[in-house]
């Protein structure tokens, strides 16, 4: 599917770019980005082919893994955003017991809540989408029954993920 090719191409381009920030990004942001496993994000992006190839024939176990894959990527893009903007993040960071939670250590829930008012508004389409992805991803940890949707729903959310990447990328600063 064309959108999956587009996701892989732009993810590779963006993640490769941000993996070499020395010389133009602030040192504090560069330090965060240099230790980030952006290579793993590229690998996880390539894993989307697994779920796409199985299409509507995903078993429940495969669908759980597919949502976990997508959730890890969404979480990774949010962490990338806050690591790139680390200097800005430090002006109003997420705190726990009076200590700064580094963006690369934030939980998905923290990232979702922190992004309200920065990347989207509470209750907005993107807020609801990120929450859906978070819940479906977390279903992999559940012992009790949880809604994991359908393979068709997963495929539609991959298309929406394509737009999500654009939203993050459009807000990232690039040197002239």
């Amino acid at each position: 599917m064309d959108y999956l090719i587009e996701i892989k191409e732009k993810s590779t381009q963006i993640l490769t770019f941000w993996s070499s920030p020395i010389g133009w990004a602030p040192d504090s942001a560069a330090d965060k980005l240099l230790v980030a496993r952006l290579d793993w994000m590229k690998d996880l992006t390539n894993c989307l082919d697994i779920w796409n190839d199985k299409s509507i024939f995903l078993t429940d176990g495969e669908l759980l893994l597919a949502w976990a894959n997508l959730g890890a990527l969404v979480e990774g893009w949010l962490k990338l955003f806050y690591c790139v903007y680390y200097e800005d993040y430090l002006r109003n960071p997420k705190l726990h017991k009076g200590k700064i939670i580094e963006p690369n250590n934030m939980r998905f829930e923290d990232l979702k809540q922190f992004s309200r008012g920065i990347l989207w508004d509470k209750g907005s389409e993107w807020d609801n989408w990120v929450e859906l992805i978070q819940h479906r991803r977390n279903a992999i940890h559940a012992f009790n029954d949880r809604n994991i949707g359908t393979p068709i729903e997963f495929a539609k959310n991959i298309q929406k993920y394509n737009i999500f990447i654009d939203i993050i990328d459009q807000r990232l600063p690039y040197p002239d």
Side-chain angles (χ1 to χ4, degrees):
M1 297 186 181
D2 291 338
Y3 62 87
L4 196 50
I5 292 168
E6 184 180 337
I7 287 169
K8 291 190 314 186
E9 287 176 355
K10 70 182 159 189
S11 293
T12 297
Q13 179 183 4
I14 296 163
L15 295 169
T16 299
F17 177 82
W18 286 104
S19 66
S20 300
I22 295 176
W24 58 268
D27 289 345
S28 61
D31 290 345
K32 295 289 177 199
L33 293 166
L34 288 172
V35 298
R37 293 308 307 254
L38 301 182
D39 58 325
W40 285 356
M41 285 184 62
K42 287 187 246 179
D43 288 346
L44 284 170
T45 299
N46 290 328
C47 286
L48 294 173
D49 280 332
I50 296 167
W51 322 121
N52 183 60
D53 291 347
K54 290 199 168 246
S55 186
I56 62 169
F57 302 106
L58 288 170
T59 66
D60 284 350
E62 291 164 336
L63 188 55
L64 284 165
L65 291 170
W67 285 116
N69 187 166
L70 182 57
L73 287 167
V74 170
E75 181 179 10
W77 281 100
L78 291 172
K79 287 180 179 187
L80 172 67
F81 180 84
Y82 293 112
C83 286
V84 166
Y85 281 107
Y86 188 64
E87 294 292 320
D88 292 318
Y89 174 78
L90 289 176
R91 289 188 196 113
N92 188 23
K94 178 83 173 159
L95 301 173
H96 178 71
K97 297 182 180 178
K99 296 179 92 175
I100 293 174
I101 302 173
E102 296 294 331
N104 50 314
N105 293 329
M106 275 202 261
R107 299 172 308 133
F108 202 149
E109 179 66 22
D110 294 331
L111 289 160
K112 178 184 74 179
Q113 289 180 19
F114 193 79
S115 294
R116 291 174 176 152
I118 296 173
L119 291 170
W120 57 75
D121 293 325
K122 184 174 178 151
S124 70
E125 177 184 355
W126 286 109
D127 189 46
N128 293 333
W129 182 77
V130 169
E131 188 161 299
L132 173 80
I133 299 303
Q134 177 193 23
H135 285 261
R136 298 285 162 88
R137 172 209 166 148
N138 288 346
I140 200 164
H141 301 295
F143 183 77
N144 297 319
D145 187 45
R146 288 197 184 177
N147 182 358
I148 60 170
T150 66
I152 292 170
E153 182 183 0
F154 177 78
K156 288 179 182 175
N157 279 280
I158 293 293
Q159 292 177 17
K160 189 146 185 151
Y161 171 66
N162 190 21
I163 299 166
F164 178 77
I165 294 169
D166 291 336
I167 287 172
I168 298 296
D169 186 46
Q170 290 166 1
R171 293 181 172 158
L172 295 175
Y174 289 93
D176 296 333

